[in-house]
Amino acid sequence: MKIIIVGCGNVGATLAEQLSKENHDIVVIDNRKQIVENISNSFDVLGVVGNGTSFSVQMEAGVDEADLLIAVTGYDELNLLCCLIAKKAGGCHTIARVSNPIYNREISFIKEELGLSMIINPQLAAAREMGRLFKFPFALKVDSFAKSRVELVNYRLEEDSSLCHTKLKDLDSKFFKELLIPIVERDEQVIIPDGNFELKPKDIISIVGSSVKVAELFKKMGLSTSAARDVLIVGGGRTTIYLAKQLIEMGIKVKIIENNKETCEFLTEMLPKAMVIYGDATDKELLLEEGLAEVEVFIANTNFDEENVMLALYAKSLSKAKLITKIHRISYDEIIDNLDVGSIIYPKYITAETIIKYVRAMKNSMGSNIETLYRLNDNKVEALEFLIKDDSPIVGIPIQDLKLKPNVLIGCISRKGQVTIPNGQSVIEVGDTVIMITTTTGFHDVRDALR
C-alpha cells in the first residue's frame, strides 16, 4: 500500500518506521528539511519538504495514487485540512490526529462531516492505558481484550515471590486452571514457555485471564488488588486532563502540580473536582508538602523525558507509590527500562498500534477480522484478538490438530461473554473471539497463523 504521513514528530517518525517494516510504500511530508532527510535515510522512505496542507505538495507526494494519508502534525486544524484536501485530490482513506479536549465531544461529528476514516488521539490513548493500570496497581502494563473481559497483565517477579523457582507445570492448579503465562521476558530475551520452564526473580511474566481470575491470583500472592485512593500527577498537559476525568469518575482523589500559571487556570476550569497546584515539581520540598511520601500513585507526565525519569526515581526513593512514567522518545528505551521507574507509557507506540491494526484491515482483501492489537515486550511480541467468521479455517478443529506456525499460541477464547483458557481438545466456534500471541509479527488474519 502507498501511505503518506504528514508530520514527522515523535508519532509521525514512529509510524514511518513501523509501517515501512511492514513493507508499505511510505512518503513523509514535513516543512523541516533536516528532519525529512533524517527519516528518509533512517527508514528507507521517500520524503517531501513542504506544507502538508498544500495541494501541490500533496500531489508531489503522490496523493492521487495513495491508499491512505495520515496527518499527525501537532496542530489539530492543520491535520483536518490535510485530510480534507487529500479526500478531494486523491479520494484516499484519511486518518487525522485530533487531541484537543475541546474537540473530544465532537469527534463523531467531525469524522462524519469530513469523511475521515479514523481520528486518533495519542493523549487520550495514553490516558486510557494509564487508567487501566489502576485496576492492578502492581502491574507494569495492562492490556484489555474481549470488551475488557480479558486482561493481559505484565508483572515483574520479585525475589520473594511465591512463583519464583517454580516450573509452570507445577504452579498451583487451583489458581492457574483458568489463567495462562504465555510470555516471559528474561534478560531482554522473549520466551514463549512450555510446562518445564522455571520462573526466576526479575522475570517479566505476562498473565492472561479474566479480570476476576487475575485479581484472585494476585490476592493469593499477597498483593493488594484494591484500587488506589489518591494520585499525584506532575504535568498538566492534555493527557493529564483525559486521565484526571477518568480517575475522578472512579472516585479517586486527584492532585496535579503544574508550573505554568495559565495552564493551571485552564486545568481548574476543565477539572473543577481536582486539586491543582501552581509550582515547580522539581522542588523537593513542594513534592513533600503535597504528600509524595504518602500518595498511592505517582505519575510523571511532563513534556520532558529526562524530568519524568528523575521525578520517578526521586518518588521511588521516598515512597512506595505505584509509579507511571511517560516517555516521548525511544532513543534510550533500553536504559530507561533498566532504571525501574515503574510502568512506562510511550504514547507514540500506542498510536502506532491503532493505525497498524487499521492498515492491516485495509490490506487484507478478504476483510481482516482483527478486533484488537497490542505490541508487547519492545515490539517483539504481538497479542491479537480475532473475531472468528463462518469461513475461518480453524472452526470446528481441536486446537491440538491445528497446524499453527512456530511461536504462535492461542491464549484465550471468549464465547458469549464466557472466558476460557483453551487446552488441546478445545474447539473454536463461529462468533468466538480468540486471543493469539506470537513472536512472528505482521498477521492480518487467523489464516496467517497457519502453516
Side-chain angles (χ1 to χ4, degrees), residues 430-450:
V430 174
D432 289 351
T433 56
V434 173
I435 297 169
M436 197 169 285
I437 298 163
T438 176
T439 54
T440 304
T441 59
F443 289 177
H444 297 80
D445 187 272
V446 290
R447 292 170 175 81
D448 296 329
L450 301 176

Side-chain angles (χ1 to χ4, degrees), residues 332-389:
Y332 305 104
D333 55 346
E334 293 181 2
I335 297 173
I336 292 171
D337 288 342
N338 291 328
L339 291 176
D340 191 14
V341 288
S343 298
I344 302 174
I345 304 295
Y346 293 100
K348 55 190 174 183
Y349 278 158
I350 302 168
T351 304
E353 287 174 354
T354 304
I355 292 178
I356 287 169
K357 182 183 76 170
Y358 179 82
V359 170
R360 289 186 190 175
M362 285 182 61
K363 186 178 179 183
N364 185 5
S365 60
M366 300 181 68
S368 176
N369 53 4
I370 297 177
E371 298 289 294
T372 312
L373 165 67
Y374 293 111
R375 289 185 155 186
L376 314 169
N377 304 84
D378 295 328
N379 292 338
K380 297 172 185 173
V381 177
E382 285 187 352
L384 306 103
E385 178 184 358
F386 291 102
L387 172 64
I388 304 304
K389 301 178 181 179

Side-chain angles (χ1 to χ4, degrees), residues 39 204 211 221 257 269-270 285 320 327 409 428 440:
I39 291 177
I204 297 177
S211 299
M221 293 169 59
I257 299 177
E269 180 182 343
M270 295 291 291
E285 291 186 6
K320 293 183 179 180
I327 300 295
L409 178 68
I428 296 168
T440 304

Side-chain angles (χ1 to χ4, degrees), residues 146-214:
K147 299 179 181 178
S148 297
R149 287 190 289 266
V150 178
E151 309 288 358
L152 192 155
V153 179
N154 278 18
Y155 172 71
R156 188 191 306 273
L157 293 178
E158 303 297 338
E159 293 280 352
D160 58 351
S161 173
S162 59
L163 302 184
C164 287
H165 308 297
T166 306
K167 292 183 178 180
L168 293 186
K169 66 181 181 181
D170 297 329
L171 292 174
D172 190 337
S173 59
K174 179 181 178 181
F175 289 94
F176 276 90
K177 184 178 180 181
E178 298 179 61
L179 294 170
L180 179 69
I181 298 180
I183 308 166
V184 178
E185 183 173 350
R186 177 182 295 169
D187 299 327
E188 300 182 6
Q189 181 183 5
V190 175
I191 304 163
I192 294 182
D194 59 17
N196 292 314
F197 186 89
E198 183 176 318
L199 299 174
K200 295 182 179 180
K202 298 187 179 179
D203 283 351
I204 297 177
I205 64 173
S206 297
I207 302 170
V208 174
S210 68
S211 299
V212 172
K213 292 300 179 181
V214 173

Side-chain angles (χ1 to χ4, degrees), residues 290-328:
E290 298 304 330
L292 174 61
E294 296 82 26
V295 74
E296 295 187 13
V297 181
F298 177 82
I299 302 177
N301 191 38
T302 75
N303 290 324
F304 303 99
D305 293 351
E306 297 84 358
E307 186 171 324
N308 288 340
V309 170
M310 294 306 296
L311 285 168
L313 289 173
Y314 179 63
K316 181 182 176 183
S317 70
L318 294 179
S319 168
K320 293 183 179 180
K322 162 71 179 177
L323 303 178
I324 302 176
T325 308
K326 186 174 74 172
I327 300 295
H328 297 90

Side-chain angles (χ1 to χ4, degrees), residues 265-293:
E265 293 173 355
F266 181 66
L267 289 170
T268 302
E269 180 182 343
M270 295 291 291
L271 303 166
K273 293 185 179 180
M275 180 180 293
V276 180
I277 310 296
Y278 171 50
D280 184 358
T282 61
D283 182 346
K284 296 179 181 179
E285 291 186 6
L286 175 63
L287 288 174
L288 292 173
E289 287 175 6
E290 298 304 330
L292 174 61

